[in-house]
Amino acid sequence: MACCGNCFCCQCCCRERETRTPEELTILGEIRDEENEILPRKDYESLDYDRCISEPYVEVLEGMDNKKAKKYEAVRWIMVFAIGVTVGLVGLFVDFFVRLFTNIKFTLVGDSVEKCSDKGCLLLSLLELLAFNLIFIFIASVLVLIEPVAAGSGIPEIKSYLNGVKIPGIVRLRTFVCKAAGVLFSVAGGLFVGKEGPMIHSGAIVGAGLPQFQSITFKRINFDFPYFRSDRDKRDFVSAGAAAGVAAAFGAPIGGTLFSLEEGSSFWNQALTWKVLFCSMSATFTLNFFRSGINFNKWGSFQLPGLLNFGEFKCSNGDKNCHLWTAVDLAFFVLMGVVGGLLGALFNCINRSLAKYRIRHIHPKAKFIRVLESLLVTMVTTVVIFAASMLLGECRDLSSPTTHNATLASTDDINSTIRPFFCPNKTYNDMATLFFNPQEAAIHQLFHQDGTFSPVTLSVFFLLYFLLSCWTYGVSVPSGLFVPCLLCGAAFGRLIANILKVKLGMDLYSGTFALIGAAAFLGGVVRMTISLTVILIESTNEITYGLPIMITLMVAKWTGDIFNKGIYDIHVELKGVPLLDWETEVEMDKLTASDIMEPNLTYVYPHTRVQSLVSILRTTVYHAFPVVTENRKNEQDFMKGNILISNNIRFKKSSIVSRVGEQRRRCQSMKSYPSSELRNVCDEQSAVVEPSEEGEDLLQQMLERRHAPYPSLYPDQSPSEEWTMEERFRPLTFHGLILRSQLVNLLIRGVCYAENQSSATQPRLSYAEMTEDYPRFPDIHDLDLALLNPRMIVDVTPYMNPCPYTVSPNTRISQVFNLFRTMGLRHLPVVNAIGEVSTHRVFFSKVIQGFSSSSIGF
C-alpha cells in the first residue's frame, strides 16, 4: 500500500522526514536503500475460508441427514486416498525418468572420458557433457516459460496458499504438467537442484485439482461433481497433497503430516490430521510398492519407501567399540549447529541478493533472457565440475574405502559409483566420485564410506557446491533445495569428522557427523525444526538420532534467525506475498481495532437497485460488502420543520468536529508505534483533515473525503449531491456480508424483481447454482449491461452471510490478529455494542508489514 497517495500527502511526508534524525528514520523504516528495496508487490487475492451461512447453504444443511453426511464423509476419504495414490505415481514417474536420463548421460560421458584420457581428447568429453546438460535445461526452461509459477520449488507459494493467499495459477493443471516434466529435466541436466521440493508442489496441485473433477486448462475435463466447491475444502485437500509430496520424496509420512502442520496451514483440526496422515501413508506405500517391484522385481517387498533414502546407519558386526554417537559428541553437534546456522544465514543472504537482482534486471526483460540465464548457469556448473574433477581431484587406492553400513536402500552398490576418471589403474578420483554421480549416490558415499575423500576434496566440494547451488536456486527451472543442502552439509560434516579423527585422534562414526552436518546446514537454510527432525529420522530409520538431530536443528535455527529469515520466508517476501506472521509484536497491544479500521464505508442495502450494484462493483475492488440499513427512528421529528432541521445539522456538525479531534488523537497514538506504514496512514489522514479556523471547513473536508453514498433501502431514492448531512451520516445497522462473487452471480442470472412487485417474486438460486462457477467466478466487467434493467431491485438478504465474525472497536490488535489468522478470515467487520457498523474492513497492512489491503479488504 502506498504511503503517500497524492501530491499533498507526498509533501507532508517529505516535511515529516526532514524533522527527524537519520536514526529515527531508520527505526521507522523511512530510509530505504534503493539497492535493497523490494519491488512493488503483486495484487494477490485472499481465499475465503470462512463459510458463508446463507439461506441456500442452510437449506443444504437442513436436507443433510445422517446417511447423506456419512456418504459425504466417505467421498472425502476416497478423495484423500486417491490423492495419495496419485502423488505416489507422480513420484514414480519423476524418479524413473530422472534415473533413465541420468544413467544415459553418465554412461556415455564416462565411456568418453575413459577413452579420451589416453587419447588426449577430453575437450570432446566436456562438449558431450555440455550438450546433454544444455538440452535438458533448455527443455526445463521452456516449460517454465509456458507456466512461470512452475519455477523454483513451489514451497513458498504453497505455504502462502495454505495460509490464505491465492497466487494466480499456483494449483492449475498446466502448472502441474510443467512442474513434473520440468523437474526431471532440470535434475538430469546436472544443475545443483533436487526433485523433493517440486514434489511437494506437485502433490499440492493434485490435492487441489483431483477432487474438483474439472480443469481450467483442459476444458474437456469437466465432470458434474457437486462436492467440495469451496476454498475451505480445497485448502484441506491441498494440505493433504503437500504432505503426500513430502512423504513420497523422503519416505516420511509422519514428517509430511508435520510439514503441513508446521509450514502450511494456519488452521488445523484433529479430523484433518488423520486425513493428511492417511494421504501421506497412501503416497508412501504406493511409491514403495512400485519402486521395489520395478527395481528389485520383488513385488510387495516394500524396500524403497521414498525418492531419497539415507540407508541404514549401522556399525560393523565385529566392531564392539563402535557407537553411532556418544554424549561427548553432543558438544560437537551443538557447535556444528552454530556453524550450520551461520552458513545457512550466509546462503540466504547471498541468494536474496541474487533474487533481487533477477527481479530487477532479468525478469522485466524478454522471456528468452531467463532461458539464457539458465543455460549460462548450466554451462558454468558443467565446466566447473569437469575442471574440478580433472584438476583438483585426488587419485586414491581402490582398496582404501571401508563401508560401515550393512544394508543400503539403493539399486546400485556404493562401490559401483566410484569413478576412476583422470586417474591411473586401480585408483579412483574422489572429486569425480562426488560430481559424476546422481546426488543421492553422492549422499550415500558421504554417509556410509570411511576414508574415501580427502579433507582438501571435501573443502573444495563444499565451497563449489555452496556457491553454485546458491546461484542456481532462483533460475527459471523447477528446482528443489533439500538435496543440495543435504549434500553440501554432509560434505561439511564429513570434513569435521576427518579433522577430529586426524587432529584429535577421536574414535567416532563419520556417517553420524555427515548426517548432523547435513541437518545443520539444511536447518540453517530452511529454519524448519519439528517436521525436519521427523523427516530425517524416518529417512535414516534410526530413532536414536532423534536427540542429536533435534538439538542441531534448534541451534541452527536460533543462530540463523539472528541474521535473517529462512529461505522460503525470504522468497515469500520477495514475491510480495501478503503473508501474516505467526504472532504479533508486543507493541501492537497499544492499539485497538478502531485504530486500524478503514473509516470509509462502501456498503449495500438489503434491497438495492441493479444500477447501484453495477456501479459499486465496477468502481471498487472490494471482495465483500456489508449489508446495512439506516437508523431512521427520529425521521418523523426530523421532517417537522426548519428549526429541527437546523438543530440536527448543528448536532451533526459538532459530532463531526469531535470525530476529527478523535482522529487526531488516534494519529498520535499510532505514531508512537514503530511502523513507517502506520505513521504514513496518520500523515495521510492529517493531510486531508487539517485544522482550520471554522467548523464548516472541517465539516466540508470530511464530506469531501467520504465516498459518495449509494441508494438507500427505499427504491424511490437515488444518489444525490443535495443529500443533507443527516442523510449522509445517519447510523448504519449491520446485518451481514455479501460477497462480490455472489452479487455478480445474482446479476448474471437475473435474480431481481420490479419495484411494483414484492421481493417474494424474485427467483431463488440453490447452493449448487451459487457455487457452480467455482473457482473462476465471472467478472463484473464481462457482464452485458444491455440485458439488465437498471431500475430493477435485488434482494440480497437470502444470499448474504448474516453471522460473520465481528469484533468490537475496543478489541485489542492481538485478539483481532489471532481471530483473523487462525480462523482464516478475509473480512472482519468492526461493529459497536448496538449493532452499528463502524467500518467495513480492517487493514492489517497498516500495522503488520507485508500484508496488503487487497488480500483482506472487502
Side-chain angles (χ1 to χ4, degrees):
M1 230 179 83
C3 61
C4 299
N6 50 46
C7 296
F8 187 80
C9 289
C10 288
Q11 294 173 1
C12 178
C13 290
C14 293
R15 290 197 300 268
E16 184 67 25
R17 287 169 180 256
E18 293 174 357
T19 60
R20 295 183 179 273
T21 64
E23 292 77 9
E24 292 175 328
L25 293 175
T26 302
I27 294 174
L28 294 172
E30 293 297 326
I31 294 182
R32 300 187 181 183
D33 187 1
E34 294 183 358
E35 295 296 326
N36 294 326
E37 186 174 359
I38 301 175
L39 296 181
R41 67 190 60 178
K42 298 179 181 179
D43 188 19
Y44 292 110
E45 299 288 339
S46 179
L47 296 170
D48 290 316
Y49 287 164
D50 187 21
R51 295 190 187 277
C52 180
I53 313 296
S54 59
E55 290 186 12
Y57 181 78
V58 173
E59 292 174 359
V60 173
L61 294 181
E62 291 176 350
M64 182 78 69
D65 54 14
N66 291 335
K67 184 177 180 180
K68 291 183 179 180
K70 291 180 180 179
K71 177 184 176 182
Y72 185 85
E73 188 68 12
V75 173
R76 184 183 294 271
W77 279 99
I78 292 173
M79 287 295 102
V80 168
F81 176 74
I83 291 170
V85 172
T86 305
V87 172
L89 295 177
V90 171
L92 178 69
F93 167 81
V94 173
D95 180 70
F96 176 81
F97 282 100
V98 167
R99 287 179 177 272
L100 177 63
F101 293 153
T102 303
N103 289 337
I104 293 174
K105 181 183 72 172
F106 283 134
T107 300
L108 295 178
V109 173
D111 294 340
S112 176
V113 169
E114 291 179 359
K115 294 178 181 178
C116 291
S117 296
D118 299 330
K119 298 179 180 180
C121 57
L122 289 175
L123 181 60
L124 183 61
S125 301
L126 174 60
L127 293 177
E128 186 176 346
L129 181 61
L130 271 172
F132 272 110
N133 290 345
L134 291 176
I135 291 174
F136 289 153
I137 299 305
F138 177 78
I139 297 174
S141 298
V142 170
L143 290 173
V144 169
L145 289 185
I146 297 175
E147 187 55 73
V149 295
S153 66
I155 294 179
E157 291 83 357
I158 295 303
K159 178 178 179 180
S160 303
Y161 185 92
L162 292 176
N163 283 278
V165 182
K166 181 181 179 182
I167 300 177
I170 195 62
V171 291
R172 292 182 63 179
L173 181 58
R174 185 169 64 183
T175 304
F176 170 75
V177 174
C178 295
K179 193 84 171 186
V183 69
L184 64 90
F185 285 108
S186 60
V187 174
L191 289 179
F192 293 166
V193 298
K195 53 183 179 289
E196 285 70 25
M199 273 298 303
I200 299 173
H201 187 187
S202 300
I205 298 175
V206 172
L210 190 60
Q212 301 297 316
F213 284 93
Q214 66 177 2
S215 172
I216 303 299
T217 305
F218 303 98
K219 304 294 184 182
R220 293 185 178 181
I221 304 177
N222 190 1
F223 298 94
D224 185 15
F225 191 72
Y227 301 97
F228 318 125
R229 313 294 290 173
S230 68
D231 288 336
R232 188 187 187 97
D233 292 326
K234 194 172 184 179
R235 173 198 57 185
D236 293 346
F237 288 121
V238 170
S239 299
V246 176
F250 297 97
I254 300 176
T257 304
L258 293 176
F259 175 84
S260 287
L261 175 61
E262 180 181 7
E263 292 293 318
S265 298
S266 56
F267 174 78
W268 202 263
N269 58 47
Q270 185 178 3
L272 180 60
T273 303
W274 180 232
K275 292 182 178 68
V276 169
L277 180 60
F278 178 68
C279 185
S280 301
M281 287 289 184
S282 303
T284 301
F285 284 98
T286 299
L287 180 63
N288 197 344
F289 176 80
F290 285 101
R291 285 193 70 201
S292 301
I294 293 173
N295 294 329
F296 297 125
N297 198 23
K298 295 180 180 179
W299 296 94
S301 58
F302 297 104
Q303 299 180 26
L304 298 174
L307 300 180
L308 177 64
N309 188 267
F310 297 154
E312 185 179 357
F313 289 76
K314 188 175 181 180
C315 295
S316 302
N317 294 329
D319 190 358
K320 296 183 180 180
N321 295 324
C322 175
H323 300 281
L324 294 181
W325 63 278
T326 62
V328 177
D329 297 334
L330 283 177
F332 295 102
F333 296 159
V334 171
L335 295 177
M336 291 174 67
V338 173
V339 177
L342 294 174
L343 292 174
L346 178 61
F347 184 96
N348 294 350
C349 180
I350 298 174
N351 187 263
R352 179 188 177 92
S353 300
L354 290 172
K356 285 184 177 180
Y357 180 85
R358 290 188 177 104
I359 293 173
R360 187 172 287 110
H361 299 289
I362 296 179
H363 292 178
K365 297 181 180 179
K367 291 184 177 181
F368 75 92
I369 299 297
R370 304 184 189 183
V371 178
L372 294 180
E373 184 202 12
S374 302
L375 297 178
L376 174 62
V377 175
T378 304
M379 185 173 62
V380 172
T381 302
T382 304
V383 172
V384 166
I385 64 175
F386 195 90
S389 300
M390 183 174 62
L391 302 176
L392 302 178
E394 181 178 337
C395 295
R396 302 171 69 86
D397 190 6
L398 280 173
S399 60
S400 62
T402 59
T403 304
H404 277 311
N405 61 294
T407 303
L408 292 177
S410 178
T411 58
D412 299 320
D413 186 74
I414 281 187
N415 290 329
S416 65
T417 61
I418 291 177
R419 303 301 181 190
F421 297 166
F422 319 115
C423 289
N425 294 333
K426 295 185 179 181
T427 60
Y428 70 95
N429 189 322
D430 57 353
M431 186 74 74
T433 299
L434 292 175
F435 278 130
F436 282 86
N437 271 310
Q439 297 180 71
E440 292 82 358
I443 291 177
H444 276 280
Q445 289 279 359
L446 292 170
F447 281 173
H448 298 292
Q449 278 203 348
D450 194 17
T452 310
F453 310 102
S454 67
V456 175
T457 298
L458 292 173
S459 301
V460 173
F461 177 81
F462 170 79
L463 180 62
L464 294 178
Y465 223 92
F466 180 93
L467 296 176
L468 290 175
S469 60
C470 185
W471 185 23
T472 302
Y473 188 72
V475 298
S476 294
V477 296
S479 57
L481 197 60
F482 275 92
V483 171
C485 288
L486 287 172
L487 187 52
C488 193
F492 159 69
R494 191 60 178 269
L495 176 63
I496 298 297
N498 287 2
I499 293 175
L500 293 177
K501 276 188 173 182
V502 175
K503 300 298 182 181
L504 301 181
M506 295 182 60
D507 184 15
L508 49 84
Y509 187 82
S510 300
T512 298
F513 277 78
L515 175 64
I516 296 301
F521 186 74
L522 180 59
V525 172
V526 301
R527 312 289 165 77
M528 293 161 52
T529 52
I530 302 174
S531 59
L532 188 55
T533 300
V534 177
I535 289 172
L536 294 177
I537 292 175
E538 289 185 284
S539 298
T540 58
N541 198 24
E542 185 59 57
I543 190 62
T544 58
Y545 280 137
L547 179 62
I549 290 176
M550 182 176 62
I551 292 176
T552 303
L553 289 176
M554 286 194 302
V555 173
K557 175 178 170 57
W558 292 339
T559 304
D561 285 343
I562 297 175
F563 302 96
N564 50 37
K565 295 183 179 180
I567 188 68
Y568 300 133
D569 292 327
I570 288 176
H571 279 266
V572 165
E573 290 183 355
L574 291 176
K575 294 176 186 294
V577 179
L579 184 66
L580 285 175
D581 292 328
W582 288 103
E583 296 178 352
T584 61
E585 299 180 15
V586 178
E587 292 84 354
M588 284 189 180
D589 273 335
K590 298 178 182 178
L591 305 175
T592 62
S594 61
D595 293 322
I596 64 170
M597 69 185 184
E598 170 58 43
N600 294 325
L601 192 63
T602 303
Y603 52 85
V604 298
Y605 293 95
H607 300 258
T608 307
R609 292 192 187 277
V610 168
Q611 63 179 4
S612 299
L613 290 180
V614 173
S615 175
I616 293 173
L617 294 172
R618 289 202 167 193
T619 57
T620 63
V621 295
Y622 308 133
H623 293 83
F625 303 90
V627 180
V628 301
T629 54
E630 298 175 356
N631 186 355
R632 293 173 172 263
K633 60 182 179 180
N634 296 324
E635 188 176 44
Q636 293 182 354
D637 293 336
F638 169 73
M639 299 299 296
K640 283 182 178 179
N642 293 333
I643 298 177
L644 187 56
I645 293 177
S646 301
N647 291 336
N648 280 315
I649 292 176
R650 191 177 300 111
F651 172 80
K652 284 298 175 184
K653 272 204 254 180
S654 61
S655 175
I656 293 173
V657 171
S658 65
R659 285 165 60 184
V660 174
E662 178 66 15
Q663 199 170 47
R664 289 201 204 98
R665 183 196 65 78
R666 276 200 275 155
C667 283
Q668 295 300 323
S669 65
M670 292 160 73
K671 282 184 178 181
S672 64
Y673 182 76
S675 169
S676 60
E677 292 191 14
L678 195 58
R679 193 178 62 78
N680 288 329
V681 171
C682 265
D683 295 337
E684 182 180 353
Q685 292 176 353
S686 61
V688 177
V689 187
E690 267 194 321
S692 61
E693 296 180 359
E694 296 182 354
E696 285 287 338
D697 294 334
L698 287 173
L699 176 60
Q700 187 62 31
Q701 292 174 21
M702 288 292 295
L703 292 176
E704 292 175 354
R705 182 169 182 261
R706 294 178 60 86
H707 292 309
Y710 292 99
S712 71
L713 169 66
Y714 300 95
D716 56 342
Q717 279 194 294
S718 59
S720 174
E721 294 183 358
E722 282 83 25
W723 276 16
T724 65
M725 281 163 287
E726 176 70 27
E727 291 173 319
R728 287 181 180 270
F729 295 101
R730 184 180 293 114
L732 302 175
T733 302
F734 178 74
H735 296 284
L737 288 178
I738 185 75
L739 301 179
R740 168 182 285 269
S741 60
Q742 293 173 327
L743 290 177
V744 176
N745 199 6
L746 295 177
L747 292 175
I748 289 180
R749 296 177 181 271
V751 180
C752 54
Y753 67 95
E755 54 184 317
N756 58 354
Q757 296 177 336
S758 170
S759 60
T761 62
Q762 176 177 276
R764 293 293 298 267
L765 296 183
S766 65
Y767 181 76
E769 291 174 320
M770 293 295 295
T771 60
E772 181 180 356
D773 296 319
Y774 178 84
R776 298 289 187 274
F777 291 104
D779 188 79
I780 184 61
H781 298 285
D782 300 330
L783 183 64
D784 188 0
L785 298 180
L787 302 177
L788 298 175
N789 182 356
R791 301 296 298 174
M792 297 290 282
I793 302 171
V794 178
D795 180 9
V796 302
T797 54
Y799 309 101
M800 72 180 184
N801 183 6
C803 50
Y805 289 95
T806 59
V807 293
S808 165
N810 297 323
T811 306
R812 291 294 168 180
I813 296 301
S814 59
Q815 296 173 289
V816 177
F817 177 91
N818 292 332
L819 176 64
F820 196 92
R821 195 185 198 287
T822 56
M823 299 310 299
L825 303 182
R826 186 175 187 177
H827 327 288
L828 190 57
V830 179
V831 181
N832 62 19
I834 59 175
E836 294 177 350
V837 61
S838 302
T839 179
H840 81 293
R841 64 190 184 276
V842 177
F843 275 115
F844 279 103
S845 62
K846 301 181 189 288
V847 182
I848 302 169
Q849 185 177 4
F851 210 108
S852 71
S853 60
S854 62
S855 64
I856 62 173
F858 277 99

PDB file of all heavy atoms in Angstrom, residues 638-650:
ATOM      1  N   PHE A 638     -37.424  14.662  12.447  1.00  0.00           N
ATOM      2  CA  PHE A 638     -36.500  15.348  11.553  1.00  0.00           C
ATOM      3  C   PHE A 638     -37.250  16.119  10.455  1.00  0.00           C
ATOM      4  O   PHE A 638     -36.837  17.178  10.014  1.00  0.00           O
ATOM      5  CB  PHE A 638     -35.563  14.323  10.929  1.00  0.00           C
ATOM      6  CG  PHE A 638     -34.742  14.874   9.789  1.00  0.00           C
ATOM      7  CD1 PHE A 638     -33.691  15.740  10.006  1.00  0.00           C
ATOM      8  CD2 PHE A 638     -35.033  14.503   8.485  1.00  0.00           C
ATOM      9  CE1 PHE A 638     -32.944  16.221   8.955  1.00  0.00           C
ATOM     10  CE2 PHE A 638     -34.295  14.984   7.428  1.00  0.00           C
ATOM     11  CZ  PHE A 638     -33.239  15.858   7.655  1.00  0.00           C
ATOM     12  N   MET A 639     -38.421  15.605  10.042  1.00  0.00           N
ATOM     13  CA  MET A 639     -39.164  16.201   8.937  1.00  0.00           C
ATOM     14  C   MET A 639     -40.172  17.254   9.405  1.00  0.00           C
ATOM     15  O   MET A 639     -40.937  17.771   8.597  1.00  0.00           O
ATOM     16  CB  MET A 639     -39.904  15.112   8.157  1.00  0.00           C
ATOM     17  CG  MET A 639     -38.993  14.074   7.534  1.00  0.00           C
ATOM     18  SD  MET A 639     -37.853  14.778   6.340  1.00  0.00           S
ATOM     19  CE  MET A 639     -38.999  15.351   5.102  1.00  0.00           C
ATOM     20  N   LYS A 640     -40.201  17.625  10.699  1.00  0.00           N
ATOM     21  CA  LYS A 640     -41.241  18.523  11.189  1.00  0.00           C
ATOM     22  C   LYS A 640     -41.065  19.962  10.711  1.00  0.00           C
ATOM     23  O   LYS A 640     -42.014  20.645  10.394  1.00  0.00           O
ATOM     24  CB  LYS A 640     -41.282  18.504  12.725  1.00  0.00           C
ATOM     25  CG  LYS A 640     -41.966  17.259  13.270  1.00  0.00           C
ATOM     26  CD  LYS A 640     -42.022  17.308  14.792  1.00  0.00           C
ATOM     27  CE  LYS A 640     -42.747  16.068  15.322  1.00  0.00           C
ATOM     28  NZ  LYS A 640     -42.797  16.060  16.810  1.00  0.00           N
ATOM     29  N   GLY A 641     -39.864  20.453  10.729  1.00  0.00           N
ATOM     30  CA  GLY A 641     -39.716  21.854  10.343  1.00  0.00           C
ATOM     31  C   GLY A 641     -38.277  22.265  10.215  1.00  0.00           C
ATOM     32  O   GLY A 641     -37.362  21.507  10.489  1.00  0.00           O
ATOM     33  N   ASN A 642     -38.081  23.540   9.833  1.00  0.00           N
ATOM     34  CA  ASN A 642     -36.736  24.029   9.583  1.00  0.00           C
ATOM     35  C   ASN A 642     -35.920  24.134  10.860  1.00  0.00           C
ATOM     36  O   ASN A 642     -34.705  23.989  10.838  1.00  0.00           O
ATOM     37  CB  ASN A 642     -36.793  25.395   8.897  1.00  0.00           C
ATOM     38  CG  ASN A 642     -37.376  25.294   7.497  1.00  0.00           C
ATOM     39  OD1 ASN A 642     -37.269  24.239   6.877  1.00  0.00           O
ATOM     40  ND2 ASN A 642     -38.008  26.366   7.024  1.00  0.00           N
ATOM     41  N   ILE A 643     -36.580  24.434  11.990  1.00  0.00           N
ATOM     42  CA  ILE A 643     -35.832  24.590  13.244  1.00  0.00           C
ATOM     43  C   ILE A 643     -35.173  23.264  13.623  1.00  0.00           C
ATOM     44  O   ILE A 643     -33.984  23.216  13.971  1.00  0.00           O
ATOM     45  CB  ILE A 643     -36.759  25.074  14.381  1.00  0.00           C
ATOM     46  CG1 ILE A 643     -37.332  26.450  14.038  1.00  0.00           C
ATOM     47  CG2 ILE A 643     -36.011  25.113  15.702  1.00  0.00           C
ATOM     48  CD1 ILE A 643     -38.310  26.962  15.069  1.00  0.00           C
ATOM     49  N   LEU A 644     -35.952  22.203  13.562  1.00  0.00           N
ATOM     50  CA  LEU A 644     -35.391  20.898  13.911  1.00  0.00           C
ATOM     51  C   LEU A 644     -34.319  20.488  12.914  1.00  0.00           C
ATOM     52  O   LEU A 644     -33.315  19.886  13.286  1.00  0.00           O
ATOM     53  CB  LEU A 644     -36.500  19.857  13.967  1.00  0.00           C
ATOM     54  CG  LEU A 644     -36.086  18.474  14.473  1.00  0.00           C
ATOM     55  CD1 LEU A 644     -35.442  18.597  15.839  1.00  0.00           C
ATOM     56  CD2 LEU A 644     -37.278  17.544  14.515  1.00  0.00           C
ATOM     57  N   ILE A 645     -34.546  20.838  11.662  1.00  0.00           N
ATOM     58  CA  ILE A 645     -33.519  20.537  10.665  1.00  0.00           C
ATOM     59  C   ILE A 645     -32.226  21.247  11.024  1.00  0.00           C
ATOM     60  O   ILE A 645     -31.135  20.668  10.977  1.00  0.00           O
ATOM     61  CB  ILE A 645     -34.002  20.939   9.258  1.00  0.00           C
ATOM     62  CG1 ILE A 645     -35.165  20.042   8.833  1.00  0.00           C
ATOM     63  CG2 ILE A 645     -32.868  20.864   8.254  1.00  0.00           C
ATOM     64  CD1 ILE A 645     -35.750  20.417   7.492  1.00  0.00           C
ATOM     65  N   SER A 646     -32.321  22.505  11.400  1.00  0.00           N
ATOM     66  CA  SER A 646     -31.119  23.259  11.769  1.00  0.00           C
ATOM     67  C   SER A 646     -30.446  22.659  12.994  1.00  0.00           C
ATOM     68  O   SER A 646     -29.221  22.565  13.077  1.00  0.00           O
ATOM     69  CB  SER A 646     -31.483  24.721  12.040  1.00  0.00           C
ATOM     70  OG  SER A 646     -32.071  25.293  10.897  1.00  0.00           O
ATOM     71  N   ASN A 647     -31.278  22.238  13.970  1.00  0.00           N
ATOM     72  CA  ASN A 647     -30.698  21.623  15.157  1.00  0.00           C
ATOM     73  C   ASN A 647     -29.960  20.340  14.819  1.00  0.00           C
ATOM     74  O   ASN A 647     -28.873  20.072  15.336  1.00  0.00           O
ATOM     75  CB  ASN A 647     -31.796  21.330  16.183  1.00  0.00           C
ATOM     76  CG  ASN A 647     -32.359  22.603  16.781  1.00  0.00           C
ATOM     77  OD1 ASN A 647     -31.682  23.638  16.782  1.00  0.00           O
ATOM     78  ND2 ASN A 647     -33.590  22.540  17.276  1.00  0.00           N
ATOM     79  N   ASN A 648     -30.590  19.560  13.957  1.00  0.00           N
ATOM     80  CA  ASN A 648     -29.935  18.313  13.568  1.00  0.00           C
ATOM     81  C   ASN A 648     -28.636  18.569  12.825  1.00  0.00           C
ATOM     82  O   ASN A 648     -27.644  17.886  13.021  1.00  0.00           O
ATOM     83  CB  ASN A 648     -30.882  17.481  12.709  1.00  0.00           C
ATOM     84  CG  ASN A 648     -31.904  16.728  13.539  1.00  0.00           C
ATOM     85  OD1 ASN A 648     -31.564  16.132  14.553  1.00  0.00           O
ATOM     86  ND2 ASN A 648     -33.160  16.793  13.130  1.00  0.00           N
ATOM     87  N   ILE A 649     -28.654  19.560  11.937  1.00  0.00           N
ATOM     88  CA  ILE A 649     -27.429  19.893  11.209  1.00  0.00           C
ATOM     89  C   ILE A 649     -26.357  20.367  12.177  1.00  0.00           C
ATOM     90  O   ILE A 649     -25.184  19.996  12.072  1.00  0.00           O
ATOM     91  CB  ILE A 649     -27.730  20.962  10.139  1.00  0.00           C
ATOM     92  CG1 ILE A 649     -28.622  20.365   9.053  1.00  0.00           C
ATOM     93  CG2 ILE A 649     -26.442  21.509   9.541  1.00  0.00           C
ATOM     94  CD1 ILE A 649     -29.042  21.362   8.002  1.00  0.00           C
ATOM     95  N   ARG A 650     -26.805  21.204  13.163  1.00  0.00           N
ATOM     96  CA  ARG A 650     -25.831  21.690  14.141  1.00  0.00           C
ATOM     97  C   ARG A 650     -25.276  20.526  14.964  1.00  0.00           C
ATOM     98  O   ARG A 650     -24.084  20.468  15.271  1.00  0.00           O
ATOM     99  CB  ARG A 650     -26.505  22.720  15.055  1.00  0.00           C
ATOM    100  CG  ARG A 650     -25.503  23.472  15.909  1.00  0.00           C
ATOM    101  CD  ARG A 650     -26.202  24.532  16.756  1.00  0.00           C
ATOM    102  NE  ARG A 650     -26.907  25.503  15.927  1.00  0.00           N
ATOM    103  CZ  ARG A 650     -28.232  25.598  15.858  1.00  0.00           C
ATOM    104  NH1 ARG A 650     -29.003  24.771  16.558  1.00  0.00           N
ATOM    105  NH2 ARG A 650     -28.802  26.497  15.083  1.00  0.00           N
TER     106      ARG A 650
END
